[in-house]
Amino acid sequence: MNLLLRLRRTPSRTLLLVQLAAVLLYPWFDDAGGQLALTAISVGVLWAAVWMVRKSPRAGWIAAALAAIGIVAWSAHQLTGIRALGVIGATGYAAAFFYSATALIAYMMQDERTTIDEMWAAGATFMLFAEAYAWVFAGTQLLQPGAFFIPGTATQPLGWVELLFLSATNFSATGLSDIYPGSPQARMLLVVEQWNGVMYLAVVVARLAGLLRSRSGTSGSA
């Protein structure tokens, strides 16, 4: 009972823990035989994100509908190999993660104070954006084979772990990835993600930190 109460009080922490657990599990299933497990893990992360959206000012049913489109279409793509279904599935997944990320931003920005759960939400939102762009990249390489590649290796579609690594390093602007864009469209997608990452850190995270510092200063004065 106490555990359920803590989960309800800090839903963002729960979402972030689910995301981190998924990141640790992904490498074990990132091969042809582990696609079903990868899909199941992604569905779990998406479910946690949709659950969190219900706690925000945004409509939860929109996230649920986008997630359903992504899950059904991507699963059908895995079974049939039909490229169009894969593109629709990746788009649905990406849209659900983007919507969830904006919902968490609205949750963090809805008042003039910073709570502990909103600090957890900052980390969870970063991961939501990273996952969203990874799905954008997954759809892009279905439309443009070779859109992303690792120099010195055979040209083939990159796995989920590679796409998520590319997305996370690009969004955080650390530039540690050994994966390169192979088309002008792919390069521009990376530019958009870099801009998104810089704006997220400069506007959202900086505002949270400012509110927290202001709150600490007020408490100290009192």
Side-chain angles (χ1 to χ4, degrees):
M1 202 66 181
N2 290 334
L3 176 60
L4 291 176
L5 184 60
R6 286 198 297 269
L7 292 178
R8 287 175 63 86
R9 285 178 176 174
T10 56
S12 300
R13 178 176 63 179
T14 303
L15 172 57
L16 182 58
L17 291 176
V18 170
Q19 291 171 312
L20 294 178
V23 167
L24 295 176
L25 288 173
Y26 282 140
W28 299 97
F29 304 101
D30 194 35
D31 54 42
Q35 291 302 314
L36 183 60
L38 273 178
T39 300
I41 296 171
S42 296
V43 169
V45 174
L46 201 49
W47 175 85
V50 171
W51 173 70
M52 181 59 212
V53 170
R54 294 175 61 248
K55 307 292 183 180
S56 77
R58 297 289 186 264
W61 69 267
I62 297 178
L66 294 172
I69 293 171
I71 292 167
V72 172
W74 188 260
S75 299
H77 164 67
Q78 293 295 315
L79 292 173
T80 64
I82 298 175
R83 183 180 300 178
L85 289 174
V87 174
I88 294 172
T91 301
Y93 266 112
F97 278 118
F98 277 127
Y99 184 83
S100 299
T102 59
L104 257 68
I105 290 175
Y107 167 68
M108 291 184 284
M109 300 291 106
Q110 64 184 341
D111 52 40
E112 294 299 320
R113 64 190 183 93
T114 300
T115 65
I116 293 177
D117 192 60
E118 287 173 354
M119 298 302 293
W120 287 108
T125 303
F126 174 93
M127 288 303 301
L128 288 175
F129 274 123
E131 289 160 315
Y133 280 105
W135 280 108
V136 171
F137 299 160
T140 300
Q141 70 176 2
L142 284 174
L143 289 172
Q144 290 185 329
F148 302 98
F149 67 95
I150 300 176
T153 63
T155 302
Q156 59 183 357
L158 299 183
W160 174 248
V161 169
E162 293 164 330
L163 293 175
L164 185 57
F165 177 70
L166 170 64
S167 179
T169 55
N170 193 57
F171 191 80
S172 62
T174 55
L176 297 176
S177 182
D178 57 348
I179 303 169
Y180 291 84
S183 70
Q185 291 79 9
R187 290 178 182 273
M188 291 305 101
L189 284 176
L190 293 181
V191 169
V192 171
E193 185 183 19
Q194 289 170 348
W195 170 83
N196 191 172
V198 169
M199 293 302 295
Y200 174 69
L201 293 174
V203 177
V204 179
V205 176
R207 182 177 185 273
L208 283 178
L211 290 175
L212 186 63
R213 186 165 53 251
S214 175
R215 179 182 173 185
S216 298
T218 302
S219 301
S221 299

